[in-house]
């Protein structure tokens, strides 16, 4: 496990807060990933001190989300988010409210969190505060809502998709009661901003267990409300593996080639994602009829390699290995557009 510097910095920040007479702990995803021995990517600190009190303790802070109780503390070198214990205000339209209420007790803060595995805290002495059986659920490999699943999803419908996302990232199953609650309320996903749905799907695409994630998306019935024909194409996701979200979006576009506008309109994809998809799909189609030198020349290596992967995920036998792509590209007689000035008729020959 990579115990990143942030963890150490967070502990020093906690110490300082405690010296000032308050209480502070590491919370959420960092505690989960620490217990799972996974890489920790950001360490969040929660405290009973109010944002103004935090700003008095540290000489260098940035107000990033002070209305939500978050202050970024900088004076230990690395930025650490420090958030005052809070409960969410009243929920409207199945969305997390904008306004929050600060509270002085940690249990109230843990209670508002989505899943048991995300609702633990780590003290500076190394104790784990686990009020909802998060450790046990980590051991069993399950995603379980904190409290009554149905009410939690009605408070914030995005949590349903987060459950699927965590299953894809961790290879966990969704606990039966939690799964049933999602099935019951899956239609509420329509209240959630498309940008947030986009973010969750992007995380699913780069997760370690994408196929499991898509299977859960179908089983929990969210797939009924999300364009992409996930059920029809489930098996085509079996070998899928991406290191960038745009590869996932491009693959989704490939699987839905006959109606790709529905995908782009619904998920509000960026031009970058759409252009990338267009290039890869084009290269993929050319691959099926064999790449010529011009295809090798005019496409970036990454586009060609992704198109190659698409063919593999689609179960198409490509009669050469993936490493050949770079080799062929390196050995092209023409390497740059400038060469064309000298040898313009090659282009004519290639495009024949
Ligand atoms: P990662 O950052 O690896 O994607 P995370 O668990 O840190 O995962 P974040 O979205 O960064 O997830 O949220 C941090 C913590 O805040 C979560 O672990 C959870 O405790 C809480 N949380 C986030 N979103 C929600 C939500 N919609 N409802 C309830 N709690 C939430
Ligand atoms: Mg996080």
């Amino acid at each position: 496990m990579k115990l990143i510097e942030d963890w150490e910095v967070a502990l020093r920040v906690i110490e300082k807060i405690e010296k000032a007479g308050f209480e502070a702990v590491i919370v959420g995803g960092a505690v989960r990933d620490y217990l799972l021995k996974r890489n920790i990517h950001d360490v969040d600190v929660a405290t009973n001190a109010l944002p103004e009190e935090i700003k008095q303790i540290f000489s260098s802070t940035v107000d990033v989300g002070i209305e939500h109780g978050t202050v970024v503390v900088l004076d230990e070198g690395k930025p650490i988010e420090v958030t005052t214990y809070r409960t969410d205000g009243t929920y409207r339209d199945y969305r997390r409210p904008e306004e929050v209420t600060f509270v002085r007790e940690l249990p109230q803060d843990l209670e508002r969190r989505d899943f048991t595995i995300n609702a633990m805290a780590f003290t500076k002495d190394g104790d784990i505060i686990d009020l909802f059986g998060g450790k046990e659920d980590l051991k069993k490999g399950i995603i379980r809502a904190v409290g009554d699943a149905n009410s939690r999803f009605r408070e914030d419908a995005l949590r349903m998709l987060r459950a699927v996302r965590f299953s894809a990232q961790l290879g966990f199953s969704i606990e039966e009661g939690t799964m049933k609650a999602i099935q019951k309320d899956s239609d509420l996903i329509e209240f959630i901003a498309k940008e947030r749905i986009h973010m969750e799907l992007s995380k699913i695409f780069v997760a370690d267990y994408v196929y499991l994630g898509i299977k859960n998306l179908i089983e929990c019935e969210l797939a009924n409300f999300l364009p992409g024909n996930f059920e029809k194409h489930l098996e085509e996701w079996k070998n899928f593996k991406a290191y960038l979200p745009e590869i996932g979006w491009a693959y989704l576009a490939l699987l839905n080639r006959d109606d790709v506008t529905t995908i782009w309109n619904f998920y509000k994809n960026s031009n970058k994602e759409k252009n990338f998809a267009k290039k890869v799909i084009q290269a993929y189609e050319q691959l099926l009829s064999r790449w010529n030198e011009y295809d090798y020349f005019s496409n970036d290596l990454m586009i060609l390699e992704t198109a190659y992967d698409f063919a593999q995920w689609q179960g198409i036998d490509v009669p050469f290995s993936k490493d050949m792509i770079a080799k062929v590209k390196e050995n092209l007689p023409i390497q740059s557009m400038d060469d064309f000035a000298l040898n313009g008729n090659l282009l004519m020959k290639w495009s024949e």
Side-chain angles (χ1 to χ4, degrees):
M1 174 181 43
K2 214 172 81 208
L3 239 194
I4 47 160
E5 211 185 317
D6 295 36
W7 186 272
E8 305 293 333
V9 177
L11 290 178
R12 287 203 297 272
V13 166
I14 289 174
E15 208 161 317
K16 240 176 162 171
I17 298 173
E18 293 195 341
K19 274 214 181 97
F22 298 98
E23 164 189 314
V25 286
I26 297 176
V27 280
V31 181
R32 175 199 67 221
D33 292 339
Y34 168 83
L35 291 172
L36 285 173
K37 300 186 167 40
R38 285 171 64 91
N39 281 346
I40 298 167
H41 52 91
D42 48 23
V43 183
D44 296 321
V45 168
T47 178
N48 64 354
L50 293 170
E52 288 308 320
E53 293 168 329
I54 290 297
K55 285 166 71 173
Q56 276 166 22
I57 300 171
F58 296 94
S59 53
S60 178
T61 60
V62 187
D63 296 356
V64 277
I66 201 150
E67 65 288 0
H68 298 113
T70 304
V71 170
V72 170
V73 169
L74 283 170
D75 74 354
E76 288 281 351
K78 287 210 156 199
I80 293 284
E81 282 195 9
V82 178
T83 305
T84 305
Y85 296 160
R86 56 171 223 227
T87 57
D88 292 328
T90 352
Y91 296 85
R92 247 178 301 116
D93 296 338
Y94 312 104
R95 270 175 265 199
R96 222 141 57 114
E98 284 306 304
E99 77 283 354
V100 301
T101 311
F102 298 137
V103 294
R104 290 286 186 178
E105 304 293 331
L106 176 63
Q108 292 167 280
D109 182 87
L110 295 179
E111 219 168 63
R112 69 159 171 101
R113 294 175 184 270
D114 47 6
F115 305 109
T116 60
I117 58 167
N118 288 347
M120 290 179 276
F122 184 96
T123 72
K124 85 167 190 312
D125 304 324
D127 297 324
I128 303 282
I129 300 169
D130 176 18
L131 307 177
F132 311 104
K135 250 179 167 171
E136 190 59 30
D137 288 344
L138 274 185
K139 241 187 247 149
K140 290 192 202 147
I142 56 178
I143 320 274
R144 180 202 304 271
V146 170
D148 176 63
N150 271 306
S151 11
R152 300 314 306 284
F153 295 137
R154 261 172 240 157
E155 283 170 0
D156 176 5
L158 183 72
R159 290 172 186 154
M160 302 189 289
L161 194 52
R162 283 174 59 89
V164 174
R165 186 255 283 191
F166 287 116
S167 82
Q169 288 178 325
L170 306 172
F172 281 21
S173 51
I174 300 174
E175 178 271 330
E176 202 186 323
T178 303
M179 176 63 92
K180 284 212 173 99
I182 304 179
Q183 288 165 339
K184 192 160 161 223
D185 281 332
S186 52
D187 59 322
L188 299 182
I189 198 69
E190 293 185 315
F191 287 91
I192 299 304
K194 302 298 183 285
E195 290 78 4
R196 311 202 61 188
I197 295 180
H198 178 280
M199 272 169 61
E200 293 301 322
L201 279 180
S202 289
K203 288 185 177 175
I204 292 175
F205 291 147
V206 294
D208 286 340
Y209 306 87
V210 185
Y211 181 63
L212 174 68
I214 308 255
K215 263 190 6 202
N216 280 330
L217 198 66
I218 296 163
E219 191 185 339
C220 73
E221 296 174 19
L222 285 172
N224 297 344
F225 303 93
L226 301 173
N229 293 300
F230 292 100
E231 192 157 8
K232 180 173 158 204
H233 295 293
L234 175 64
E235 288 314 306
E236 290 157 271
W237 287 99
K238 194 144 204 172
N239 298 313
F240 174 89
K241 179 89 188 107
Y243 55 94
L244 285 175
E246 50 254 50
I247 296 176
W249 289 109
Y251 194 61
L252 187 70
L254 176 80
L255 299 180
N256 292 277
R257 255 173 306 177
D258 44 351
D259 188 14
V260 77
T261 7
T262 302
I263 302 286
W264 297 151
N265 289 344
F266 184 90
Y267 295 106
K268 300 193 188 302
N269 296 81
S270 66
N271 286 334
K272 191 167 164 246
E273 286 166 341
K274 289 191 261 188
N275 290 334
F276 176 76
K278 214 162 126 187
K279 281 191 199 156
V280 180
I281 292 172
Q282 201 175 33
Y284 167 82
E285 277 163 356
Q286 280 153 350
L287 173 63
L288 300 184
S289 60
R290 216 169 73 85
W291 285 333
N292 60 29
E293 284 177 305
Y294 184 70
D295 296 324
Y296 277 103
F297 167 76
S298 59
N299 288 295
D300 286 343
L301 179 61
M302 193 266 183
I303 298 283
L304 295 173
E305 287 184 338
T306 309
Y308 184 97
D309 288 339
F310 279 20
Q312 300 238 298
W313 301 332
Q314 290 280 292
I316 292 162
D317 245 338
V318 188
F320 55 90
S321 73
K322 198 169 156 186
D323 339 319
M324 283 307 293
I325 305 173
K327 290 191 188 127
V328 173
K329 243 180 119 57
E330 274 162 30
N331 292 318
L332 285 175
I334 281 180
Q335 291 294 328
S336 77
M337 267 305 176
D338 293 344
D339 295 340
F340 273 120
L342 302 170
N343 204 348
N345 58 352
L346 254 180
L347 176 64
M348 304 294 286
K349 208 176 114 218
W350 284 358
S351 46
E352 271 165 16

